Structures are given as C-alpha cells and as structure tokens.
Amino acid sequence: MKKKFNILIINGPNLNLLGSREKKIYGKLSLLDLLNQLNKKAKLLNTNLIHFQSNAEHSLIQKIHDSKNSIDYIIINPAAFTHTSIALRDALLSVNIPFIEVHISNIYSREHFRCHSWFSDISKGIICGLGTDGYFWALKSAVKRLCKK
Ligand code: DQA
C-alpha cells in the first residue's frame, strides 16, 4: 500500500478571521470553509492534513518543533510574522521539514514593509497573490514532490 503523507498547514496571526477580515484583500471564504475544502482535496490525494492556526509566535514555533518526526511537508502562511519573525524562520530550519510559503494576497504589490519575507529564501517555493487557491496549489505540489522522493 502507498504511504499516506502527513502534511501540516500552518496559519499565522489574524488568519482565524478569514472571511470577515479585509474581504477585498483576503476574500470571503472563512478559515473553516477553506479547511473543509482542503480536507476534501487531501482525501482525494490520499494525504492526512493537519491544521494549526495561532496568533501567538511561541505556539507556532512549538508546533513546528513538535512536528519533527511526524510531518512530511509544511504549508505555511506566516501572515504578519512573514515580515518580522526570525524565530519562526529558525524553527523551520531546526526541524528541516520542507515547506511551501503561501500568501493569499500579492505581498509585492502592497505596502513596502510586506515586500520582505524571512521565509522565501529557505522555502521550497512561494505562492502569493492567488487568493485562497494558493493553498490548493501548494497541497498539490507538496504531494507531487513527496511522491517523487
Ligand atoms: C498575508 C500577507 C501578510 O502581509 C499579512 O500580514 C497577512 C496575510 C497573506 O496571506 O496575504 O496577515 O500573509
């Protein structure tokens, strides 16, 4: 039987408010609806999806540490921590789990302070500006890469 991969989706601060937060930028889909759709997709891909959202940097770091021996791939939207958190970057480097960075909005077409990410250079790939579809593309790509291993 084919190995079932474990993929962890991490969402950073304020993404719990998807669907109500700045809808013109982040869309109308709630985090719960997005996760339901992603779970359906993951099932079709014979993949276990684990989700973690937190507004607290230390909780996100702890989740990454705890994933060391159980998670095959991470899909992360670090949200505002993208632009500030070397601690989160170091956590990802420490566990050495490959990851894809996702942003719902195009961070390069917004305020100047959003143009720098502490994650992009150590990620396997970056998807930004495609709305919540970005998570689906990341999932598809992560599974494809894991199957090739
Ligand atoms: C975001 C972009 C970040 O700049 C912002 O702080 C977010 C969400 C995105 O998904 O577009 O919270 O990561």
Side-chain angles (χ1 to χ4, degrees), residues 13-15 21 26 77-80 82-83 102-107 110 114:
N14 303 308
L15 291 170
R21 165 195 189 202
Y26 299 113
N77 183 346
T82 306
H83 320 297
V102 171
H103 299 286
I104 296 166
S105 65
N106 180 354
I107 55 174
R110 299 180 63 192
R114 293 189 205 273

Side-chain angles (χ1 to χ4, degrees), residues 19-103:
S20 66
R21 165 195 189 202
E22 297 178 274
K23 286 185 201 165
K24 281 203 171 121
I25 298 176
Y26 299 113
K28 291 184 189 154
L29 199 64
S30 70
L31 183 59
L32 191 67
D33 288 341
L34 172 63
L35 291 172
N36 284 335
Q37 292 182 16
L38 282 165
N39 274 323
K40 281 187 192 154
K41 184 77 188 162
K43 257 194 187 152
L44 295 174
L45 295 169
N46 189 40
T47 298
N48 288 323
L49 216 57
I50 298 102
H51 177 250
F52 186 74
Q53 189 280 328
S54 179
N55 296 322
E57 193 177 23
H58 69 94
S59 305
L60 296 165
I61 291 169
Q62 193 59 55
K63 185 68 185 177
I64 291 168
H65 291 179
D66 294 345
S67 301
K68 192 169 171 43
N69 297 314
S70 56
I71 295 295
D72 299 299
Y73 223 99
I74 293 176
I75 293 166
I76 185 167
N77 183 346
F81 289 141
T82 306
H83 320 297
T84 60
S85 184
I86 297 172
L88 209 49
R89 172 194 172 96
D90 283 348
L92 286 161
L93 286 171
S94 311
V95 295
N96 203 23
I97 300 171
F99 74 92
I100 296 174
E101 176 185 352
V102 171
H103 299 286

